[in-house]
């Protein structure tokens, strides 16, 4: 009984203590009406949070606030003019939000965000209630001339700048697209098996070898020593850009593909040698003509 009385007295004392502006308190949503939420804050009067003090995100709706929700809020005023404590959930969330987005930056977290506004040279998206800017140059891998079609779209983005002091949050969709492209290319490269023979197109000649386009954005290097059976001084002696060649995969390592034209020739099906043509004279003696002697002989 004494413990219950002590607890009761403690609650009364807490409910009568003065609240300071800027203080962070916790409350439970007791009712939601129109654009206002009412909170039980264990005080002699209730707390109120206007819609504008919940979030700056245009996509936010009071329908997202449910009775029984526990929220943290900053005291804006001990008396809002109607005897209630004016609170801001948005202000309380700002400090925690910046901690989260800085962690997203460090971890390279991919976020799903909705573009909620169009501004000069970019668009706006909100992360943890914070206003983030996506430059037009970071909406796609290529050039974006008109940002208006992006309004309302949901995109995947990464945090590339998080500065709480300057309240500067910058996101990039392009970084995510680049990462996906790298992963897809890596997957395709790893699917290439050493020893396989492929057909490609010479796309670039260098003093040390030739780069061959294997398709799907994948290229491999044929070192100069692997181009021809004989020794050559430069790849241009036997190859030209755009030429189709057969190559054998020697090695796939660290995202690089090593190829050989010479080795591909070694595994090519051997041509069938023609039998010497024999002609018979009327008298029955057999003679072998020059064509027959040369048939099947492969000149080097």
């Amino acid at each position: 009984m004494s413990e219950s009385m002590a607890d009761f007295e403690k609650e009364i004392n807490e409910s009568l203590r003065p609240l300071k502006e800027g203080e962070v308190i916790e409350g439970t949503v007791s009712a939601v009406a129109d654009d206002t939420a009412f909170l039980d804050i264990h005080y002699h009067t209730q707390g109120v949070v206007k819609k504008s003090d919940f979030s700056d995100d245009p996509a936010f709706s009071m329908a997202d606030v449910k009775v029984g929700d526990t929220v943290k809020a900053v005291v804006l005023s001990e008396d809002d003019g109607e005897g209630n404590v004016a609170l801001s959930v948005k202000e309380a969330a700002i400090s925690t939000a910046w901690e989260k987005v800085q962690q997203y930056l460090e971890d390279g977290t991919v976020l799903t965000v909705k573009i909620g506004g169009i501004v000069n040279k970019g668009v706006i998206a909100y992360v943890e209630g914070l206003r983030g800017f996506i430059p037009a140059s970071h909406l796609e891998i290529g050039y974006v001339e008109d940002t208006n079609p992006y309004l309302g779209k949901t995109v995947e983005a990464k945090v590339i700048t998080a500065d709480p002091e300057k309240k500067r949050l910058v996101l990039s969709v392009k970084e995510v697209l680049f990462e996906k492209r790298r992963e897809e290319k890596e997957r395709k490269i790893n699917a290439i098996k050493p020893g396989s023979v492929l057909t490609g197109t010479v796309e670039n000649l260098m003093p040390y070898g030739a780069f061959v386009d294997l398709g799907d954005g994948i290229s491999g290097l044929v070192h100069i020593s692997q181009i021809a059976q004989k020794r050559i001084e430069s790849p241009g002696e036997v190859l030209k850009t755009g030429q189709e060649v057969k190559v054998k995969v020697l090695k796939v390592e660290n995202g690089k593909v090593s190829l050989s034209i010479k080795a591909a020739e070694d595994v090519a099906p051997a041509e069938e040698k023609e039998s010497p043509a024999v002609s018979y004279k009327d008298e029955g003696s057999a003679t072998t003509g020059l064509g027959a002697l040369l048939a099947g002989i492969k000149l080097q």
Side-chain angles (χ1 to χ4, degrees), residues 108-110 134 137-141 156-160 170-183:
T109 305
V110 176
I134 307 177
S137 59
H138 278 267
L139 277 171
E140 297 285 352
I141 292 177
E156 290 184 326
K158 280 187 174 185
V159 176
I160 57 175
V170 184
L171 310 171
S172 174
V173 177
K174 182 168 69 173
E175 287 296 314
V176 177
L177 296 176
F178 269 133
E179 184 176 311
K180 287 185 176 181
R181 177 182 285 186
R182 287 192 294 268
E183 290 175 352

Side-chain angles (χ1 to χ4, degrees), residues 92-114:
I94 286 176
S95 177
T96 301
W98 278 111
E99 291 177 2
K100 287 184 178 180
V101 295
Q102 285 177 312
Q103 193 64 51
Y104 294 152
L105 174 61
E106 293 176 14
D107 296 343
T109 305
V110 176
L111 305 169
T112 300
V113 298
K114 185 176 182 179

Side-chain angles (χ1 to χ4, degrees), residues 46-90:
Q46 65 186 348
V48 295
V49 184
K50 300 292 185 182
K51 180 182 178 181
S52 59
D53 288 314
F54 260 103
S55 174
D56 287 330
D57 189 345
F60 172 78
S61 170
M62 291 298 290
D64 298 329
V65 183
K66 306 297 182 185
V67 173
D69 287 351
T70 299
V71 296
K72 288 184 178 180
V74 168
V75 176
L76 297 180
S77 172
E78 192 174 359
D79 189 342
D80 66 348
E82 297 182 2
N84 301 309
V85 178
L87 303 171
S88 173
V89 172
K90 177 176 65 179

Side-chain angles (χ1 to χ4, degrees), residues 142-162:
Y143 176 71
V144 175
E145 183 174 358
D146 184 10
T147 57
N148 286 293
Y150 290 87
L151 184 62
K153 282 190 174 182
T154 298
V155 296
E156 290 184 326
K158 280 187 174 185
V159 176
I160 57 175
T161 301

Side-chain angles (χ1 to χ4, degrees), residues 28-33 36-39 65 67-68:
T28 304
V29 177
S30 57
V32 180
T36 303
F38 299 90
L39 271 63
V65 183
V67 173

Side-chain angles (χ1 to χ4, degrees), residues 1-18:
M1 184 69 177
S2 60
E3 289 182 358
S4 298
M5 197 63 165
D7 291 340
F8 180 66
E9 289 179 359
K10 182 180 178 182
E11 288 181 9
I12 292 177
N13 291 333
E14 287 182 351
S15 70
L16 294 174
R17 70 180 179 84

